[in-house]
Amino acid sequence: MIQPIRRSIHTLLLLTLLTGCATQAPVSPTPEADQHPGLERPIPYPIDIPQRYLQALEGGTRSESGEPGESYWKNRSSYDLKAELDPETDTIHGSAGIRWVNRSPDTLDRLLLEVNQNLHAQGTLRKEWVEVTGGMQFEQIQVNGTDVEEINRQGGAPPRQGYLVDATRMLILLEEPLAPGESVDLSMSWNFKVPEVGAGGRMGRSRDNLYYIAYWYPKVAMYDDVEGWFVDPFLGNAEFYHEFSDYQLEITLPDDWLVMGSGEFLNPEEVLAPHVLERYRNAIGSDEVVQVVTEADLGVATQRTEDRMLTWRFTADKIRDVAFSATQESVWDATRAPVGDLDGDGETDYTHIHSFYRNTAPYWTDQAAYARHSISFLSDYLEMPYPWPHMTSVEGEDIIGGGMEFPMITVMGSYNQAGPQQLHGVTAHEFAHMWVPMIVSTNERRYTWMDEGMTTFNTHQAMVDAYPDDYPTMDLFYSYLGIAGTDLEGPMMRWSDFHYPGPAYGVASYPKPASVLQALKTVLGEETFLEAYHTFLREWEWKHPYPWDFFSTVERVSGEELDWFWRSWYYETWVLDQAVRDVQNHEGYAVIVLEDIGRVPMPVDLRIELEDGTVMQERVPVNHWLDGSARIEWRVETGSPVMSVTIDADEQLPDTDPDNNRWERP
């Protein structure tokens, strides 16, 4: 349910000051088929590119070749975060010291922050039902050591300095503008009640023995070279677009809870009981899974203090976000996973694998092994070693059914109903997010297909590696083909939160973009595709790509002009439906009659079987469709009559009607 947004002069001030960054380029002309009715099919026309992206090209921060431009920049920030969790009241008391450095060429007179826990505040605009807990209650806000007050919502001229909270956004007006190269120091304290199922199932609490805490602190919003301040609110659906920051994290809570969080675990000797500490040290150097905390250890796994409180410390550089878990009745498995040569010294490097789960999740006894496989495989497949000290999985049944990723830590359901292979799959999926968007930092709130689609594609590769007989390529296509070409589908380039209700958002974000990457691999060939894919990931590592950076990179590496591909698959809801209509055998040759019933033009890969047992492979180039034709007579030189012709015999493309892909001689 979407509740009405509250309006005031100050809400309008926030919106009018900040929304100038969302201008789109004019819509391109209608397809050629509409302008020229004599054509049999629409000809893909040039793709739409927003004016602000074109301005970034002109400004040299991005390049027409898809690489970051010579003038590319990104801002920098550091966070000193402290959280005290009170299990008696389910309340977080938090504080933050934030230093934000303006590395843009612009002088800024305001800051925009995200306060996404306010999804749970009364009156917040959102796309789904959530528990109303009151959201974040701010106790103090300082700018450069000076207290600032909330802007009066009753009207009048806004002050020179102050702050305004509008749902999941906070605006801070600066008394002194922030010039390029200058920094600002913020200090904040707040509290909120932890919802049972928070932020759309991305955080919460379960059975009085588990917390998974995310979306829990104020974070300076993204300011980039294309949009300026990224102003889109969090509505509970599409996720985040964040800059890379350095973090110091302290979590304090009663001393009978186990904690793990984003970042290097700094003080295990201060918080773990001696026997658990010894197992922990053994486990992180072991190629076998070691149970660090058993059920017999529950309640005695941690140190005891005089005030019955413990503080757990973590640190991380250059990550997008931090989250943490606190568990009271979860066992803890750990091992290590090889990730390749991370530091270039010629030696194999490792990351620590941690798995926390309760005895109500029996399949999780193998989850650490799934995690180890996923991290190692993805490091190798993506040619980008996992860069952080650990990867942690937390079983959070009741909070989430699937999974949700944050840097170095993910929460997932028990998978009791789905089974162990599906648990392996969700593990691979959430871990694949450590590359996109946690390293290659895409904008999930606008273009969810970039991170979820690439991740779904990468997950499939991991599962093929683990279960080669169980994951045919067609597995990528089924969910997309279920609505392909119907009114239930929406174009992938539609901004994520603006899809029509129903399956449109999910399909355009997950299975369709994964299917389209597979189609792109088929067009380019696996070697060229992987070269382009790896080039994009490598060049945009620790940066913030837009869709057109990806498109241009693929074209540069492949040497192909692919506007027809981007328009057909990404901007439209056209479908692929190729058919063999007839085969005419002649002396020494055959004519194969092909039709393209769908609107997506693609090369046609033919498997031709001759009477003498010869098998031929032919590719009909895509340009035969790009003149507006929907029918081709393709001549093949043969030494024997054609017995059968099959389009896409290996089922590598998401064709909506495979039944018409085969012809057999009567």
Side-chain angles (χ1 to χ4, degrees):
M1 180 176 67
I2 298 178
Q3 297 192 7
I5 189 169
R6 293 176 296 177
R7 296 291 184 187
S8 70
I9 185 172
H10 299 287
T11 303
L12 294 174
L13 169 68
L14 174 68
L15 296 174
T16 55
L17 286 174
L18 298 176
T19 54
C21 299
T23 304
Q24 294 279 339
V27 176
S28 295
T30 56
E32 292 292 324
D34 296 334
Q35 297 181 25
H36 304 286
L39 297 178
E40 298 175 300
R41 58 172 308 133
I43 300 173
Y45 52 108
I47 62 174
D48 304 326
I49 302 178
Q51 187 63 40
R52 286 190 173 269
Y53 181 85
L54 296 175
Q55 291 171 354
L57 293 179
E58 294 174 3
T61 57
R62 296 175 191 259
S63 69
E64 292 184 358
S65 63
E67 302 163 279
E70 292 184 0
S71 301
Y72 183 81
W73 54 264
K74 56 183 177 179
N75 293 309
R76 187 76 176 176
S77 54
S78 59
Y79 290 74
D80 185 358
L81 298 177
K82 295 179 173 62
E84 183 169 333
L85 173 57
D86 181 358
E88 295 295 322
T89 61
D90 299 318
T91 302
I92 290 279
H93 296 271
S95 66
I98 306 171
R99 170 162 289 186
W100 192 79
V101 183
N102 179 17
R103 298 173 67 179
S104 81
D106 307 320
T107 297
L108 306 174
D109 62 0
R110 69 208 64 184
L111 298 177
L112 183 67
L113 284 80
E114 293 191 357
V115 285
N116 290 331
Q117 191 59 214
N118 273 1
L119 184 74
H120 296 274
Q122 184 69 40
T124 294
L125 180 69
R126 47 186 171 256
K127 294 200 70 172
E128 58 187 40
W129 179 92
V130 300
E131 177 186 354
V132 175
T133 61
M136 301 179 77
Q137 306 299 313
F138 286 95
E139 299 159 357
Q140 185 180 43
I141 297 178
Q142 293 185 334
V143 177
N144 293 326
T146 301
D147 287 342
V148 295
E149 302 297 326
E150 186 171 8
I151 295 172
N152 183 357
R153 291 177 176 268
Q154 300 306 311
R160 293 182 59 189
Q161 180 163 292
Y163 74 91
L164 171 68
V165 177
D166 181 74
T168 60
R169 296 170 293 185
M170 173 188 285
L171 176 70
I172 297 180
L173 299 179
L174 300 175
E175 188 171 17
E176 297 293 333
L178 194 65
E182 293 184 342
S183 63
V184 61
D185 291 315
L186 307 177
S187 179
M188 301 182 179
S189 58
W190 67 92
N191 66 79
F192 66 89
K193 182 172 180 177
V194 180
E196 289 188 58
V197 177
R202 299 176 175 98
M203 55 87 65
R205 54 190 168 88
S206 170
R207 307 177 200 168
D208 297 325
N209 61 27
L210 184 146
Y211 293 88
Y212 189 87
I213 305 299
Y215 290 77
W216 65 277
Y217 63 97
K219 183 168 179 60
V220 180
M222 188 71 189
Y223 188 89
D224 73 9
D225 62 310
V226 176
E227 293 287 339
W229 286 115
F230 183 64
V231 304
D232 297 16
F234 177 51
L235 303 178
N237 181 45
E239 292 166 5
F240 38 30
Y241 181 36
H242 287 163
E243 66 187 15
F244 297 104
S245 306
D246 301 334
Y247 287 89
Q248 300 292 324
L249 174 62
E250 292 187 2
I251 303 114
T252 301
L253 73 172
D255 61 12
D256 56 347
W257 291 76
L258 284 168
V259 174
M260 188 57 70
S262 301
E264 181 182 357
F265 184 14
L266 294 179
N267 63 332
E269 69 284 346
E270 295 179 3
V271 295
L272 298 178
H275 69 289
V276 172
L277 178 63
E278 181 180 4
R279 289 188 208 145
Y280 167 78
R281 288 173 172 164
N282 289 336
I284 61 178
S286 173
D287 294 325
E288 303 298 324
V289 176
V290 175
Q291 195 155 66
V292 178
V293 172
T294 69
E295 288 203 50
D297 297 315
L298 298 178
V300 294
T302 54
Q303 299 273 11
R304 290 294 179 265
T305 62
E306 187 174 339
D307 64 356
R308 298 304 306 273
M309 303 292 283
L310 279 177
T311 298
W312 304 65
R313 296 183 174 88
F314 304 86
T315 185
D317 295 334
K318 205 162 59 175
I319 62 175
R320 292 185 13 145
D321 202 359
V322 290
F324 65 91
S325 69
T327 64
Q328 202 174 36
E329 297 182 20
S330 298
V331 299
W332 176 4
D333 293 345
T335 183
R336 69 175 185 171
V339 298
D341 185 3
L342 182 60
D343 51 15
D345 64 356
E347 300 291 330
T348 298
D349 294 300
Y350 295 84
T351 193
H352 307 156
I353 298 294
H354 302 296
S355 179
F356 293 83
Y357 58 95
R358 293 168 291 189
N359 62 12
T360 53
Y363 294 136
W364 274 68
T365 57
D366 293 321
Q367 198 275 336
Y370 303 154
R372 181 175 55 205
H373 166 263
S374 299
I375 284 290
S376 294
F377 172 81
L378 291 163
S379 294
D380 180 63
Y381 181 75
L382 299 175
E383 295 187 352
M384 187 179 289
Y386 181 79
W388 294 304
H390 74 89
M391 186 64 221
T392 294
S393 307
V394 179
E395 174 267 312
E397 188 75 10
D398 305 324
I399 296 173
I400 195 167
M404 178 61 199
E405 74 285 351
F406 295 88
M408 290 175 256
I409 189 166
T410 179
V411 61
M412 298 180 287
S414 69
Y415 277 70
N416 287 345
Q417 302 301 316
Q421 199 171 101
Q422 285 67 36
L423 177 59
H424 193 160
V426 73
T427 299
H429 183 93
E430 302 313 323
F431 285 20
H433 277 304
M434 297 304 110
W435 283 264
V436 186
M438 300 306 174
I439 297 174
V440 180
S441 181
T442 57
N443 184 343
E444 299 177 79
R445 207 164 288 172
R446 289 273 180 91
Y447 311 108
T448 305
W449 64 264
M450 290 191 77
D451 86 288
E452 293 293 358
M454 289 182 178
T455 291
T456 300
F457 177 82
N458 295 338
T459 301
H460 181 76
Q461 314 314 312
M463 296 304 284
V464 169
D465 183 74
Y467 310 95
D469 296 330
D470 295 343
Y471 285 86
T473 303
M474 282 298 297
D475 267 19
L476 277 174
F477 306 152
Y478 288 135
S479 296
Y480 158 59
L481 292 177
I483 68 166
T486 73
D487 291 340
L488 296 175
E489 188 187 357
M492 286 160 52
M493 289 295 287
R494 186 188 296 274
W495 288 1
S496 303
D497 275 327
F498 293 88
H499 278 285
Y500 298 126
Y505 165 80
V507 169
S509 300
Y510 293 78
K512 182 174 180 180
S515 300
V516 172
L517 283 178
Q518 176 62 36
L520 182 62
K521 183 171 76 169
T522 303
V523 169
L524 300 180
E526 184 169 21
E527 182 178 351
T528 300
F529 168 80
L530 286 176
E531 183 184 357
Y533 195 32
H534 293 155
T535 299
F536 169 72
L537 296 174
R538 182 175 62 253
E539 291 179 347
W540 287 96
E541 184 179 20
W542 313 119
K543 299 179 181 69
H544 307 282
Y546 276 72
W548 307 278
D549 300 312
F550 174 65
F551 297 161
S552 296
T553 299
V554 173
E555 293 190 350
R556 165 169 52 95
V557 174
S558 69
E560 301 281 348
E561 193 285 307
L562 295 167
D563 255 20
W564 60 269
F565 187 92
W566 314 129
R567 166 58 66 185
S568 301
W569 286 112
Y570 287 82
Y571 285 82
E572 307 290 346
T573 56
W574 299 347
V575 298
L576 174 66
D577 183 8
Q578 299 173 340
V580 185
R581 284 305 184 207
D582 192 20
V583 175
Q584 301 158 8
N585 280 302
H586 301 276
E587 186 67 32
Y589 71 95
V591 174
I592 302 171
V593 181
L594 303 172
E595 286 189 3
D596 202 0
I597 302 169
R599 289 186 165 191
V600 174
M602 288 284 284
V604 187
D605 288 324
L606 300 174
R607 184 177 188 270
I608 305 166
E609 299 180 32
L610 306 184
E611 189 175 63
D612 65 5
T614 302
V615 177
M616 303 173 61
Q617 304 288 342
E618 288 273 322
R619 167 165 282 194
V620 180
V622 69
N623 62 283
H624 286 277
W625 306 121
L626 297 182
D627 64 357
S629 299
R631 182 182 175 92
I632 294 172
E633 295 186 359
W634 186 251
R635 176 171 169 146
V636 179
E637 303 299 323
T638 62
S640 177
V642 173
M643 299 300 293
S644 69
V645 175
T646 306
I647 295 175
D648 186 28
D650 295 330
E651 297 184 322
Q652 298 299 299
L653 293 173
D655 190 302
T656 56
D657 185 8
D659 290 342
N660 60 21
N661 284 9
R662 182 172 174 82
W663 175 92
E664 292 185 357
R665 183 177 176 181

